[in-house]
Amino acid sequence: MKTLLKLALTASTILISTLSYAGGTLVVSNQTGTIVIDDNNDYDEIVIPAGKTLSANIHILAGRTADVLIRGQNRNTSIIAPNGLFGHADADAKGTAAKKRSNIYSDCNCTVSISTLTSRNPEKYHILGDTNNSVMLADNINIHTRIGPTSDIHDYHTTDGFGGGIGSSISNSEIDTFDDSIKVYRQEMTVENVTIYHNQYGAPFQFGWGGFNYAKLILKGNNTVIDNAANYRHGVFAWVSTNTTGLVRRVDYRGNFNHLVANGKDKSKLYTFGHLSNNALTINGATLNLFGSNCIASTNSNTEFRLTSNAAITNGIYCQ
């Protein structure tokens, strides 16, 4: 038997409880703190019943090599919300410790399949695979950030949606959050039949906060981006910063999507470089190389350079 140490935080105390198991399935009941899967003797499957909210986040860590399944029984009522249904995100949390505040976090050498549930209001990100080998496969889920009735939107603007290792995918899902929706950082990300609400903070497709080299974005089926705000911090596709002169960010971008505007809202730019208000976050002396098939070319009218950004852009012959 293996023992899992769990920390349950309350306003005034730290409660320590133990849970024994040997692989198999965990059906969620009243877990709090963190459910840790860090070797191949730990849970293979976590099930969130219909009508149940899991008040713990889930870590799949580097010692795990066997695949893990996280599934709900109802997309709308099987909920993971360790930070509360209207909990505030921590904008100042940085590094790996901050990433581990995500609702579901993985740095394993394995595949994590997530289905039929809703992720609500993380303390940092919603779902993140943090290495090339942490493959995240999400299907039939909601990624939702919701503002409390007396809350400030600034308390929610670090709630990134979905990111994962090489070969990750998200399909048949909805993303409505207040930071980047999908992180297109690594060699392959597939997006199929996904609706993304583009709110004030974040980009539906984020090409990077830093000097990433190559990524592949495959859009399949019927994907839709709905502009849902005004004065957007980022466009539909964004590259925020790099200080590496001469860096070429190559994006193999394949497929089509619908770009709509919600009633009473403004249309965003398609491509943005740099940050709207932070002079430290710019693109200087670098190139974005767009190529692939059916990609949308960057033009003077659909592209915006923020502050001192001066990136070069090359459009492949199949980008129209």
Side-chain angles (χ1 to χ4, degrees):
M1 297 288 282
K2 180 179 175 68
T3 298
L4 172 66
L5 183 67
K6 297 170 55 57
L7 299 181
L9 302 180
T10 68
S12 59
T13 61
I14 299 178
L15 304 176
I16 301 177
S17 62
T18 59
L19 178 66
S20 295
Y21 60 91
T25 297
L26 168 67
V27 178
V28 165
S29 56
N30 60 349
Q31 286 78 14
T32 59
T34 299
I35 298 171
V36 179
I37 299 175
D38 61 4
D39 65 39
N40 290 337
N41 293 316
D42 293 344
Y43 291 119
D44 302 311
E45 180 182 45
I46 295 174
V47 178
I48 304 175
K52 185 69 180 179
T53 296
L54 172 61
S55 297
N57 55 5
I58 300 172
H59 290 174
I60 304 96
L61 301 182
R64 180 75 178 201
T65 59
D67 294 347
V68 176
L69 176 63
I70 302 169
R71 65 178 179 88
Q73 295 177 333
N74 182 286
R75 172 169 166 170
N76 296 312
T77 68
S78 297
I79 300 171
I80 175 171
N83 195 32
L85 295 179
F86 296 100
H88 295 175
D90 187 348
D92 297 322
K94 306 295 182 185
T96 299
K99 294 174 185 178
K100 287 185 177 180
R101 297 183 182 183
S102 303
N103 283 359
I104 300 173
Y105 173 85
S106 174
D107 64 2
C108 72
N109 184 11
C110 69
T111 295
V112 180
S113 297
I114 304 158
S115 64
T116 323
L117 55 76
T118 291
S119 173
R120 280 283 295 266
N121 285 57
E123 193 173 3
K124 194 61 179 175
Y125 306 140
H126 281 271
I127 297 170
L128 179 64
D130 200 26
T131 72
N132 284 342
N133 295 324
S134 298
V135 179
M136 312 298 276
L137 305 179
D139 181 64
N140 192 33
I141 68 169
N142 298 318
I143 293 176
H144 286 168
T145 302
R146 295 291 181 256
I147 297 176
T150 60
S151 296
D152 183 338
I153 191 173
H154 295 86
D155 294 332
Y156 297 85
H157 74 277
T158 61
T159 52
D160 289 34
F162 181 80
I166 299 169
S168 292
S169 68
I170 181 168
S171 57
N172 306 308
S173 297
E174 179 177 277
I175 303 176
D176 187 1
T177 190
F178 291 96
D179 210 317
D180 302 326
S181 296
I182 297 175
K183 298 173 180 290
V184 187
Y185 290 0
R186 294 185 170 90
Q187 283 90 328
E188 188 172 330
M189 171 69 73
T190 299
V191 180
E192 183 172 6
N193 300 328
V194 174
T195 297
I196 300 172
Y197 287 89
H198 185 192
N199 297 305
Q200 181 180 3
Y201 298 97
F205 301 101
Q206 178 59 257
F207 287 159
W209 291 66
F212 298 91
N213 293 315
Y214 170 75
K216 187 174 192 176
L217 172 63
I218 302 171
L219 300 175
K220 293 182 176 181
N222 186 25
N223 295 292
T224 301
V225 172
I226 302 174
D227 287 333
N228 197 40
N231 300 316
Y232 300 93
R233 292 296 179 97
H234 306 285
V236 174
F237 300 93
W239 187 13
V240 178
S241 66
T242 182
N243 296 316
T244 306
T245 301
L247 176 72
V248 178
R249 180 74 164 105
R250 300 174 65 246
V251 178
D252 183 349
Y253 160 23
R254 299 165 183 257
N256 301 302
F257 70 98
N258 306 304
H259 188 187
L260 307 178
V261 182
N263 289 337
K265 306 301 181 180
D266 295 336
K267 187 177 180 65
S268 72
K269 291 291 186 179
L270 192 66
Y271 296 101
T272 58
F273 295 82
H275 197 274
L276 193 64
S277 59
N278 189 336
N279 284 292
L281 297 175
T282 59
I283 305 290
N284 286 302
T287 298
L288 176 66
N289 179 4
L290 293 171
F291 64 101
S293 58
N294 298 320
C295 59
I296 303 174
S298 168
T299 66
N300 290 335
S301 62
N302 69 12
T303 302
E304 182 177 317
F305 296 93
R306 270 75 186 277
L307 300 176
T308 61
S309 293
N310 63 356
I313 304 168
T314 59
N315 293 305
I317 60 172
Y318 295 108
C319 296
Q320 304 298 321

